[in-house]
């Protein structure tokens, strides 16, 4: 345990094949959806006609207002849907396993008995979630850049990078919520539920907020909106959204340190 970042190294070693699996899922969905844009994209395409035939409220709820552009299509079908779902699922599973899962299995007590402080355990666990999520976000960015030309999306590389950072921030936030809930309760089911509420509750809140200008204030409560309302694929870096995502994640990790340090871990 005296070697540099032992918990991080252990987590990365034990989850390497799972990480390959999540990355493969991203590759599958990117390969399925993005190359279809030349067939469906464009203002006069069949997809545009279909979108115009749908009720405007439904189109806004789904976030399909700009799906006929390359940036809007990549956002709606990949970054804001499948990449978001896969990275969020992965981050929640990693965050829930880091403290709550380790406590339920007895591994946390063993780790702490080897001279690792509770704060160090939380911080290295958070770092391991961050590193793995960053790896998935990088894969997503590289996939989109590789498919940009063949799929005729017309995306700016800097904007794709901005979308990748937003994707990572949203996933890290869900993982941090699971980490904090695990530190507070020591129960994996509650840790998983907390991360899922942040991820998919935020998605639902954003969808409801899109339905009416009177509900626009709900966007401020949705991490999903923090990540995507600024349309990074089209407009580039959304600094306020990134500050909200990464700042809240830091607060949750700090809360996890505080909560675990004050809990009685005796059975």
């Amino acid at each position: 345990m005296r070697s540099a970042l032992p918990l991080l190294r252990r987590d990365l070693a034990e989850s390497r094949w799972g990480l390959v699996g999540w990355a493969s899922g991203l590759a599958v969905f990117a390969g399925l959806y993005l190359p279809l844009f030349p067939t469906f994209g464009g203002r006069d395409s069949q997809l545009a006609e279909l979108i115009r035939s749908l009720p405007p409220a439904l189109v806004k709820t789904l976030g399909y207002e700009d799906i006929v552009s390359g940036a809007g299509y990549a956002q709606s079908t990949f970054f804001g849907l499948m990449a978001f779902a896969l990275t969020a699922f992965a981050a929640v599973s990693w965050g829930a396993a880091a403290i709550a899962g380790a406590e339920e299995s007895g591994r946390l007590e063993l780790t702490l008995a080897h001279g690792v402080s509770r704060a160090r355990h939380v911080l290295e666990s958070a770092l391991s979630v961050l590193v793995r999520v960053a790896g998935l976000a990088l894969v997503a960015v590289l996939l989109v850049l590789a498919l940009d030309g063949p799929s005729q999306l017309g995306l700016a590389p800097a904007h794709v990078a901005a979308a990748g950072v937003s994707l990572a921030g949203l996933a890290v936030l869900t993982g941090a919520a699971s980490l904090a809930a695990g530190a507070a309760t020591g129960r994996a089911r509650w840790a998983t539920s907390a991360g899922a509420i942040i991820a998919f509750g935020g998605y639902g809140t954003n969808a409801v907020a899109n339905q009416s200008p009177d509900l626009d204030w709900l966007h401020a409560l949705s991490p999903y909106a923090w990540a995507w309302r600024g349309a990074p694929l089209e407009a580039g870096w959304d600094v306020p959204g990134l500050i909200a995502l990464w700042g809240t994640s830091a607060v949750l990790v700090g809360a996890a340190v505080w909560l675990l340090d004050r809990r009685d871990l005796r059975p």
Side-chain angles (χ1 to χ4, degrees):
M1 288 296 180
R2 294 181 180 178
S3 59
L5 301 176
L7 303 183
L8 170 64
R9 294 165 59 191
R10 183 191 67 190
D11 288 347
L12 294 180
E14 291 181 350
S15 64
R16 60 186 183 279
W17 291 115
L19 191 59
V20 170
W22 291 113
S24 298
L26 289 172
V28 167
F29 285 112
L32 283 174
Y33 285 107
L34 297 183
L36 294 176
F37 178 71
T39 303
F40 295 120
R43 300 294 175 182
D44 299 321
S45 64
Q46 293 181 348
L47 179 60
E49 294 179 7
L50 174 62
I51 295 299
R52 286 193 290 267
S53 71
L54 296 174
L58 177 60
V59 174
K60 292 194 69 176
T61 298
L62 297 174
Y64 285 176
E65 300 98 321
D66 196 34
I67 196 173
V68 294
S69 71
Y73 182 83
Q75 169 62 35
S76 299
T77 61
F78 184 64
F79 273 111
L81 186 61
M82 298 313 305
F84 155 66
L86 287 175
T87 55
F89 275 130
V92 167
S93 66
W94 293 330
I99 296 177
E103 184 173 346
E104 289 183 345
S105 68
R107 190 179 207 179
L108 177 60
E109 182 179 355
L110 180 62
T111 300
L112 297 178
H114 280 78
V116 175
S117 69
R118 298 186 185 196
R120 180 178 179 181
H121 189 284
V122 173
L123 294 175
E124 282 201 46
S125 296
L127 182 59
S128 74
V129 173
L130 171 60
V131 169
R132 286 176 283 183
V133 166
L136 291 181
L138 178 60
V139 168
V141 167
L142 294 177
L143 286 168
V144 172
L145 290 175
L147 292 170
D148 178 43
S151 302
Q152 301 176 25
L153 295 169
L155 302 175
H159 293 180
V160 178
V165 174
S166 292
L167 176 68
L170 182 55
V172 166
L173 179 55
T174 64
S178 293
L179 197 73
T185 67
R187 295 293 178 264
R189 64 179 181 275
W190 291 112
T192 301
S193 297
I197 288 171
I198 292 294
F200 302 106
Y203 180 88
T205 300
N206 180 72
V208 172
N210 287 341
Q211 293 182 15
S212 169
D214 294 333
L215 299 175
D216 186 70
W217 60 272
L218 287 174
H219 284 118
L221 304 178
S222 169
Y224 186 90
W226 302 347
W228 303 124
R229 198 180 184 202
L233 272 180
E234 181 179 352
W237 301 89
D238 178 15
V239 175
L242 293 175
I243 290 174
L245 290 170
W246 293 97
T248 305
S249 297
V251 170
L252 287 171
V253 172
V257 171
W258 186 85
L259 289 165
L260 187 63
D261 192 51
R262 282 152 181 79
R263 271 188 55 228
D264 184 357
L265 299 179
R266 290 175 297 180

